[in-house]
Amino acid sequence: MKKHCEIIEDLLPLYVDQVTNTETKMFVTDHLTECERCRQIKAELLKNKSYAVNMMQPSPTEPSPYELAFVKHIQKSRRWSGASFILLIFLFSLICWFLV
Ligand SMILES: [Zn+2]
């Protein structure tokens, strides 16, 4: 049984991620019904997996750093386009003033 536990321990991350084939899944499931130690390892993996998934999802109330950087970029380019429009009008007025 100890030898099976080591095999199951290797397979459990795949089993938890549901990427095992049907036979492997049945083998692990059968073993889990009779082995408390491996059930505990599986429970620990599931706990860590849900923690990792929660860590990867950004909080809906806080904008991500990418969103903040994008908003700053837009604000900066708006500022520059406004300033260059004013400068263009000023230069156009100067040219007109010299021509007249
Ligand atoms: Zn076991």
Side-chain angles (χ1 to χ4, degrees), residues 7-95:
I7 295 169
I8 296 295
E9 202 172 319
D10 283 345
L11 291 173
L12 272 175
L14 300 173
Y15 179 82
V16 165
D17 287 340
Q18 299 179 346
V19 292
T20 54
N21 65 36
T22 310
E23 270 190 50
T24 307
K25 185 179 178 181
M26 284 171 55
F27 175 70
V28 174
T29 304
D30 284 349
H31 182 86
L32 288 175
T33 56
E34 56 195 40
C35 181
E36 175 62 27
R37 179 183 170 271
C38 290
R39 274 199 303 269
Q40 286 178 351
I41 294 171
K42 179 195 161 200
E44 194 67 29
L45 281 172
L46 283 172
K47 202 167 72 179
N48 290 342
K49 184 182 173 190
S50 66
Y51 176 75
V53 166
N54 285 338
M55 286 296 289
M56 287 168 52
Q57 291 174 345
S59 164
T61 54
E62 279 182 40
S64 74
Y66 299 111
E67 290 170 324
L68 287 175
F70 180 72
V71 168
K72 279 185 184 175
H73 174 75
I74 295 293
Q75 288 172 341
K76 193 176 176 182
S77 56
R78 272 188 181 174
R79 213 176 303 140
W80 273 107
S81 65
S84 44
F85 181 71
I86 291 171
L87 184 67
L88 192 69
I89 288 178
F90 178 73
L91 287 174
F92 183 72
S93 308
L94 267 180
I95 291 169

